[in-house]
Amino acid sequence: MPDRLQVAVVCLGNICRSPIAHVVLEHRLAEAGLDDRVTVVSAGTGSWHTDEPMDERAAATLSAAGYDPSRHTARRFTPDWYAENDLILAMDASNHADIAELAPDVASLEKVQMFRAYDPEASEGDNEVPNPWFGGTEGFENVLRVVERTADALVEELSRRLQ
């Protein structure tokens, strides 16, 4: 049983989906009293937005739901993240493939899963967090709903891993 865990959530640019998941998961872990034992980080597979704040639409969606999006700064996923993280969660199949390609060994690759692997409503044909980038407010609100229910189940799993 580990004393601490670090979880990475990864999307394409680290300005929409993974920051939403990062903020919500941190919030849910704090509510469960696990924030001192689980660290959450996020990154993108691409470098276009490195050092930028969260997308304004994502931040507005989080703020409207009572979350604090203000601390986010976009980062890029690199191979050293394998050594730093116990679980690496991809938002979609393309992100999963990009992350997997960087795995230095089989043990590292075993850390990679789809974020929605923990979503009680996910299925084999519906296991991605949709990219809201090209849509309107409703796309970001949908991402938040998916992330919230998945984060709830993920917190339960992380709690079990720490017992």
Side-chain angles (χ1 to χ4, degrees):
M1 159 178 86
D3 289 335
R4 294 193 50 76
L5 294 170
Q6 183 157 304
V7 178
V9 287
V10 183
C11 68
L12 185 61
N14 193 220
I15 59 167
C16 292
R17 294 172 292 171
S18 59
I20 289 173
H22 184 162
V23 169
V24 170
L25 186 54
E26 277 189 338
H27 184 84
R28 295 296 206 264
L29 287 163
E31 289 179 331
L34 295 173
D35 54 327
D36 62 335
R37 298 188 64 200
V38 181
T39 302
V40 181
V41 295
S42 65
T45 58
S47 62
W48 313 279
H49 299 291
T50 300
D51 296 326
E52 292 180 12
M54 188 183 307
D55 178 89
E56 289 179 7
R57 298 164 296 172
T61 300
L62 284 168
S63 292
Y67 297 100
D68 177 10
S70 65
R71 295 179 292 133
H72 178 75
T73 301
R75 299 167 65 187
R76 184 174 187 190
F77 183 88
T78 58
D80 60 317
W81 281 54
Y82 280 101
E84 299 167 6
N85 292 283
D86 301 291
L87 184 59
I88 300 169
L89 302 172
M91 294 292 146
D92 65 31
S94 177
N95 305 145
H96 190 285
D98 290 343
I99 295 164
E101 189 174 297
L102 297 174
D105 52 43
V106 173
S108 295
L109 187 57
E110 291 173 353
K111 296 179 179 186
V112 181
Q113 295 181 336
M114 294 293 286
F115 180 79
R116 287 192 64 203
Y118 299 93
D119 182 350
E121 295 183 24
S123 64
E124 189 173 322
D126 180 26
N127 68 348
E128 298 184 343
V129 177
N131 189 343
W133 178 258
F134 295 106
T137 304
E138 50 290 330
F140 288 87
E141 291 169 349
N142 180 52
V143 167
L144 180 59
R145 283 190 298 275
V146 169
V147 164
E148 286 180 323
R149 74 171 176 256
T150 303
D152 289 340
L154 182 55
V155 167
E156 289 179 25
E157 172 61 23
L158 295 170
S159 178
R160 280 192 290 278
R161 289 186 187 196
L162 290 166
Q163 290 178 357

